[in-house]
């Protein structure tokens, strides 16, 4: 299990994090997703043998949230 934190300046509200949580949760291999609009971060726990970090970033970008991984 891999844990990663992603930052996006585009996260502005609870609606943003809800959209992200819902979309990422539908990806195979995602164990948990938790967004925080105050820190503009999304914490993701995932099985890296099932879903790649690139796929997670691609989905965030597809949703309109240009993101990058940050250290926990």
């Amino acid at each position: 299990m891999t844990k990663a934190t992603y930052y996006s300046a585009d996260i502005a509200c609870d609606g943003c994090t809800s959209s992200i949580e819902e979309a990422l949760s539908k990806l195979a291999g995602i164990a948990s997703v938790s967004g925080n609009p105050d820190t503009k971060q999304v914490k993701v726990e995932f099985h890296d043998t099932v879903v790649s970090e690139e796929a997670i970033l691609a989905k965030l970008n597809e949703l309109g949230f240009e993101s990058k991984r940050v250290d926990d």
Side-chain angles (χ1 to χ4, degrees):
M1 188 77 65
T2 300
K3 294 180 182 179
T5 302
Y6 302 95
Y7 171 84
S8 175
D10 301 320
I11 298 172
C13 63
D14 288 331
C16 295
T17 56
S18 292
S19 296
I20 291 168
E21 290 168 357
E22 182 178 343
L24 290 183
S25 293
K26 292 179 181 177
L27 293 177
I30 299 291
S32 68
V33 182
S34 176
N36 183 330
D38 295 330
T39 62
K40 299 185 179 298
Q41 293 184 342
V42 179
K43 294 186 182 293
V44 183
E45 195 169 1
F46 62 99
H47 299 276
D48 58 9
T49 57
V50 179
V51 64
S52 68
E53 186 165 18
E54 291 78 17
I56 294 169
L57 285 167
K59 178 56 80 173
L60 288 166
N61 287 326
E62 179 185 311
L63 293 169
F65 301 100
E66 187 176 327
S67 303
K68 65 179 179 178
R69 185 171 179 167
V70 294
D71 292 331
D72 293 327

